[in-house]
Amino acid sequence: MDLYNPKDIGGKPERYEDEQKFANISRIVSAKEALRLAGAKPIELGPKEGLGLINGTAASASVASLALYETHMLAVFSQILTAMAVEALLGNAESFHPFLAEVRPNSGQIEVAYNIRSFLRGSKLAQGLKDDKNRMKSGLVQDRYAVRSASQWVGPQLEDLLLADRQITTELNSTTDNPVIDAGIGEVYSGANFQAACTTSAMEKARLSLQMLGKMLFGQYSELINPSHSNGLPANLAADDPSLSFTMKGVDVNLASYMSELAFLANPALDLRVMRLKYLEALQPMVQTITSTVFGQLLDKQELEKLQLDLWKHIPDAWSATTTLDAHKGFQMVVDTTIGVVTECIAQSKAGAERLTPSIALIKSWRSQMLSALNETYIAVRAEFFEHQSTAASLGHASHKLYTFVRNDLGVPVHRGLVEHPGPKDDQSVLVGGRDKKTIGSWISIIYESLRDGRLHEPIMMCLDFADKESTANGEAGGVAIGEENDVANGQGGSSVQA
């Protein structure tokens, strides 16, 4: 391959007319026409020049440099996606605390931990950014491995990519011809500089790194769609009823086979997280009003305040436990499990159990009003959210950058569930929210194309640049502070990145 491909390229300057072609964005032309369009003249090769063009590792090193550039981008991308997963899962930024990296000072781990923590800066969803540890919180004390161990997992991949980058950089700036002429003394040396083992060694590192990054992202994605692990997100990230819409389950099946970071980015986890928080935010004053109206005559002020506090300690957790149920069934479960809180509060009031019997009618009234409030508030919040997402305001720096790029620049919308499934082309049902319906795979393809054509690279690098500038301004470890080589590992330097 290293003889055939350079031969095909080497003929262009000599203006071959037969099979030699140039490709540009719009059309394919002959070498002669390409030279004319470029305003260049054909050249005549001298002794040894033809062999110099077709021999060596030029083709494999060139392809390797392009592959390594994209691998660098994906290495940064995986760190940003991890930050997004932390936010979507309401995870803990403590996993990336500088102290953990300082006591195990591998350069890659330090770099990744700093980057992810920087990417989360400003987030209203991630926990522990201000070291405000809540030792009394319920649920998981620490996040699951796929998120918590990201810096330990990705760090060694960055270190491997540094070495791969040095190998390819050296290869691109070396003589890999044979024989080689020392023009200074006029001597000819025969050897094997054309041997491409150095290039294949670099590509093995890149291949294994990509496999490891994909495995981590698959683990994170599995948490997001599993209601038992997602900290209150609906099953399969369905924005409508789980019994009707499996939404991201098809993507999960594909992830299991090719572990793509793109499906991760296309999922609505962040939107659903914010929408559910907005729902609880809108619901709380409704619950307070209904409770005060129904039980205001039965309980004194102090007892009523305690009931309000107890209800709101229970309702968010009860709502999170309904992620596998359709909405109307979830509302019933929330209200029915909450009735126990009400009856216990009444039983412990001053008049005690004697108030329970006459209060049964009040509890029934409260239950009925609560079911209506949960349902009506949910419908209103969801409808408003589908039209005007407020997700970006809750995100950290990096998630905000990628989220707005996907939603605004690429035009990939929040997936609304089964209603998104395309209908017959001659049917009005092909529209949703005034736009054409697409399958989830079609939306993912739009993101994939932006990665392939380079549009996604700019917001990725802007996220990293922010982290680097912040570390320089604060004099902290991480980013470029670790060393110039890390710019290369993260896709910011080295001839393989610029190729």
Side-chain angles (χ1 to χ4, degrees), residues 72-93:
H72 291 324
M73 286 294 172
L74 293 174
V76 181
F77 199 9
S78 68
Q79 296 170 62
I80 298 174
L81 291 176
T82 297
M84 296 177 78
V86 172
E87 293 184 280
L89 294 166
L90 298 181
N92 199 331

Side-chain angles (χ1 to χ4, degrees), residues 1-9 53-61 63 194 196:
M1 290 299 288
D2 266 330
L3 290 177
Y4 179 79
N5 292 320
K7 178 273 298 179
D8 192 43
I9 297 170
L53 283 173
I54 71 169
N55 202 12
T57 63
S60 60
V63 173
F194 55 82

Side-chain angles (χ1 to χ4, degrees), residues 35-67:
L35 289 172
R36 185 189 69 77
L37 292 173
K41 295 181 179 180
I43 63 173
E44 184 176 336
L45 299 177
K48 185 67 172 65
E49 291 179 343
L51 181 61
L53 283 173
I54 71 169
N55 202 12
T57 63
S60 60
S62 298
V63 173
S65 69
L66 296 174

Side-chain angles (χ1 to χ4, degrees), residues 81 85 88-89 144-147 213-231 233-237 248-249 251-257 259-260 263-264 267 269:
L81 291 176
L89 294 166
R144 293 181 174 85
Y145 277 158
V147 171
L213 296 176
K215 187 174 183 179
M216 178 191 71
L217 293 175
F218 176 55
Q220 293 175 1
Y221 188 84
S222 297
E223 285 191 38
L224 289 172
I225 69 168
N226 186 340
S228 299
H229 295 163
S230 64
N231 201 10
L233 290 175
N236 297 313
L237 302 180
M248 302 301 289
K249 185 59 182 178
V251 177
D252 180 49
V253 173
N254 284 281
L255 270 169
S257 60
M259 297 187 302
S260 169
F264 190 120
N267 76 60

Side-chain angles (χ1 to χ4, degrees), residues 346-362:
I346 295 174
Q348 293 178 352
S349 62
K350 292 178 180 178
E354 62 189 48
R355 291 191 179 185
L356 284 177
T357 301
S359 65
I360 291 177
L362 293 179

Side-chain angles (χ1 to χ4, degrees), residues 79 107-116 118-119 158 463-472 476-490 492:
Q79 296 170 62
S107 60
Q109 179 178 337
I110 294 173
E111 176 77 8
V112 176
Y114 180 85
N115 285 342
I116 295 176
S118 295
F119 295 156
L158 293 192
C463 295
L464 187 64
D465 186 56
F466 173 85
D468 286 344
K469 288 180 179 178
E470 189 175 60
S471 69
T472 302
E476 299 177 17
V480 296
I482 292 179
E484 191 175 281
E485 288 180 327
N486 282 313
D487 292 342
V488 177
N490 284 317
Q492 288 188 300

